[in-house]
């Protein structure tokens, strides 16, 4: 962490951050922190935010540039960022303070454990995974977060009509994402393939650099299907 990120952590983590159940609190000396509020063993978002509002979850918020911008642009929704990287969380705390955001909370933990054990089925208004680790070597592809079982888990946590938004600048990963999501019966692809880049998704320095290097981003916007006989 930079000195500024550490000061933000010391000042703000107990207010805006929490450590997910089961996370190794001794992994780097920054595993300490309050657990998120739970009810019947599941995340109690109204208690955490002090209101009832649509809940959106982001897996892997990185340095938080996009996360903070989207939370600021949608004040009527509550946002939870799941991340394990302390400098990124520290930087996002600085962004929360700078923008005076009240609708964003940070959760340190394994995203799949969070989804499986902490998030209620059908409870999310949206879930986004932007630029996940591509694990470029073929023998490491099994470590990529987008896999049939994990996409099924993500879809199950979405409310009917809610959106799963994936984005990557790695061409073969994008094709794999499309193949996996097309095979998931709980998801519909209204675009029939990759979606046009949404204007509301902030364009970061990382994305601009990737485009200059010949790696355009691809977006997938999938909708959770409605129950039998219902409409999203």
């Amino acid at each position: 962490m930079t000195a500024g990120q550490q000061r933000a952590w010391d000042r703000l983590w107990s207010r805006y951050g929490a450590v997910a159940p089961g996370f190794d609190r001794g992994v780097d000396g920054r595993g300490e922190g309050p657990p998120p509020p739970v009810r019947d063993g599941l995340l109690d978002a109204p208690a955490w935010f002090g209101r009832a509002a649509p809940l959106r979850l982001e897996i892997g918020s990185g340095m938080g540039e996009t996360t903070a911008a989207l939370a600021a642009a949608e004040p009527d929704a509550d946002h939870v960022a799941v991340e394990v990287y302390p400098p990124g969380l520290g930087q996002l705390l600085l962004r929360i303070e700078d923008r005076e955001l009240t609708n964003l909370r940070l959760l340190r933990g394994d995203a799949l454990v969070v989804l499986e054990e902490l998030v209620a089925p059908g409870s999310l208004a949206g879930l986004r995974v932007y630029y996940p680790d591509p694990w470029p070597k073929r023998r490491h592809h099994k470590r990529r977060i987008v896999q049939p079982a994990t996409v099924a888990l993500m879809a199950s946590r979405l409310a009917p009509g809610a959106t799963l938004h994936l984005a990557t600048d790695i061409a073969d990963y994008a094709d794999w994402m499309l193949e996996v999501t097309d095979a998931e019966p709980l998801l519909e692809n209204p675009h029939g393939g990759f979606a046009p880049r949404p204007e509301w998704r902030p364009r970061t320095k990382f994305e601009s650099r990737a485009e200059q290097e010949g790696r355009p981003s691809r977006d997938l916007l999938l909708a959770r299907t409605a129950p039998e006989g219902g409409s999203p």
Side-chain angles (χ1 to χ4, degrees):
M1 281 193 180
T2 65
Q5 291 165 353
Q6 183 64 60
R7 287 194 296 269
W9 186 285
D10 295 340
R11 186 172 65 253
L12 302 170
W13 177 249
S14 61
R15 180 178 177 185
Y16 295 104
V19 178
F23 185 74
D24 184 356
R25 294 170 180 265
V27 67
D28 56 17
R30 292 191 177 90
E32 294 301 322
V38 296
R39 184 175 183 180
D40 298 328
L42 296 170
L43 179 66
D44 188 350
W48 206 4
F49 289 92
R51 66 174 184 174
L55 181 65
R56 305 193 186 282
L57 186 141
E58 179 173 358
I59 293 176
S61 53
M63 300 305 285
E65 181 180 358
T66 295
T67 310
L70 290 177
E74 197 175 19
D76 292 334
D78 290 330
H79 303 254
V80 173
V82 183
E83 178 61 74
V84 298
Y85 186 52
L89 290 167
Q91 190 65 38
L92 186 47
L93 288 169
L94 286 170
R95 299 183 195 277
I96 289 175
E97 185 175 53
D98 181 60
R99 290 175 175 261
E100 299 181 346
L101 298 174
T102 61
N103 63 332
L104 177 57
R105 300 290 184 271
L106 315 185
L107 189 56
R108 189 164 193 226
D110 182 295
L112 298 184
V113 174
V114 168
L115 285 175
E116 194 166 58
E117 300 183 4
L118 203 58
V119 177
S123 64
L124 297 177
L127 196 161
R128 55 184 182 258
V129 188
Y130 295 160
Y131 304 98
D133 192 329
W135 291 101
K137 294 182 180 178
R138 182 172 293 276
R139 68 177 183 271
H140 293 156
H141 283 185
K142 62 184 178 181
R143 300 184 184 182
R144 291 173 167 179
I145 191 170
V146 177
Q147 303 289 344
T150 57
V151 167
L153 175 61
M154 293 176 191
S156 73
R157 269 42 185 175
L158 294 171
T163 299
L164 172 63
H165 188 181
L166 309 176
T168 182
D169 63 320
I170 305 301
D172 76 287
Y173 200 178
D175 292 337
W176 171 247
M177 288 178 173
L178 180 59
E179 179 181 339
V180 170
T181 54
D182 277 351
E184 173 49 53
L186 293 180
L187 295 173
E188 294 177 337
N189 188 336
H191 299 279
F194 297 112
R197 188 194 185 283
E199 293 183 2
W200 46 261
R201 180 169 67 77
R203 187 179 298 276
T204 64
K205 293 179 181 178
F206 172 86
E207 182 179 359
S208 297
R209 184 169 63 249
E211 289 179 345
Q212 292 171 2
E213 295 172 357
R215 301 193 315 275
S217 294
R218 292 178 172 86
D219 288 75
L220 280 170
L221 285 164
L222 300 311
R224 172 69 154 86
T225 57
E228 190 76 23
S231 59

